[in-house]
Structure formats: C-alpha cells, structure tokens
Amino acid sequence: MAGAVEAKLAELGLALPDVVPPLASYQPAVRSGVYVYTSGQLPMVDGKLAVTGKVGAEVTPDEAKELAKTCALNALAAVKSVAGDLDRIARVVKVVGFVASATDFTGQPAVINGASELLGAVLGDKGVHARSAVGVAVLPLDAPVEVEVQVELTGA
C-alpha cells in the first residue's frame, strides 16, 4: 500500500520508478543511522539514459531541468529501497547536483531547481534542503545531469 508521499507523487501525475541498478561497484543508497545517502542518480527512464550531451550545447536548460526532476525521482526510489517507506523521511538534508556543461554555460542552479522543486512539491517543508549545483566537463554515459540526495529518517 502506497503512503502519503507516493500518493502525492500520483497526484502530481508521477510514479516512483524502479531503482536504477548500479553502473559500477556501489549501492544506489546506503543507510547510516537515521540518514540515507544516495549515490549520484542519472536521468534513467526504463533502464536507459533519457538524453545525452552537454547543457548549453546539445541539451537546453529547460530539458536539463526536467532531467534533474527525473534524477530526483530516481533518488527517491533509491531512498525507499533502504528506508522501506518514503513516509519515514523527516527531511531532505542536502542535494548535490552535477551539470555536464558547455564551456560558457553558467545556469547550473536553474537546472538543479528541477530536483529541488520536485522534492518540495512532493515533500512540502520536509523537502526544503541545502544544495550545491556544480558544472562539470562530463558525467557517466554522457549524461547531462546527475543528482545525489541525503535524507534524515524519522526513528531509528
């Protein structure tokens, strides 16, 4: 049975995807005490990278913002895989977003807003977080965006 967070996703027309399998030697998420740390999540949809390329060149900022939203959905799936229930999220503590950027692209914060806005829409005040948005030369599989999330859970 889906909880309140997954019901909110459904209300927004979204569904929690399956956890994206690791591309190398790591876990999609790990729990340490009341914290869950996700690995960087790419904008994978049905096991495939939705788009490739650099933001500001082959990928528009608006497209990249939507991809960051997909990354955040994948991060929520990874959190659920170790927390058991997204309703256990007490708050999102930190989001780190990486944007594969054309050399003159400086709009990384607006791109990562896709992830931040999704978390806020789904979790309300619990989705408010600290954040970093970093421009990089290249990401795995030539992904335009990668997002990692750290959450605090209720209880132990």
Side-chain angles (χ1 to χ4, degrees):
M1 180 172 164
V5 174
E6 290 187 62
K8 183 64 177 180
L9 282 167
E11 181 182 313
L12 295 170
L14 301 169
L16 200 64
D18 291 334
V19 176
V20 176
L23 300 174
S25 183
Y26 62 89
Q27 295 298 310
V30 296
R31 180 175 171 188
S32 179
V34 296
Y35 295 96
V36 175
Y37 302 85
T38 73
S39 296
Q41 299 294 312
L42 299 178
M44 303 288 269
V45 177
D46 297 326
K48 296 182 181 182
L49 197 57
V51 176
T52 60
K54 306 293 180 281
V55 181
E58 302 87 2
V59 180
T60 69
D62 287 339
E63 288 171 319
K65 184 177 179 181
E66 283 298 309
L67 295 170
K69 179 179 169 180
T70 300
C71 294
L73 276 172
N74 288 336
L76 287 174
V79 168
K80 182 179 178 184
S81 75
V82 296
D85 184 351
L86 292 177
D87 288 350
R88 296 197 55 221
I89 295 174
R91 74 166 305 148
V92 177
V93 177
K94 176 96 187 239
V95 171
V96 180
F98 302 95
V99 181
S101 303
T103 56
D104 61 345
F105 181 72
T106 60
Q108 292 83 6
V111 168
I112 301 305
N113 277 349
S116 295
E117 291 168 3
L118 173 84
L119 293 169
V122 172
L123 298 166
D125 289 342
K126 295 176 183 181
V128 177
H129 53 269
R131 188 182 87 181
S132 299
V134 182
V136 297
V138 68
L139 288 168
L141 305 178
D142 198 24
V145 182
E146 181 174 351
V147 173
E148 62 183 51
V149 176
Q150 301 167 9
V151 303
E152 179 181 0
L153 302 175
T154 59

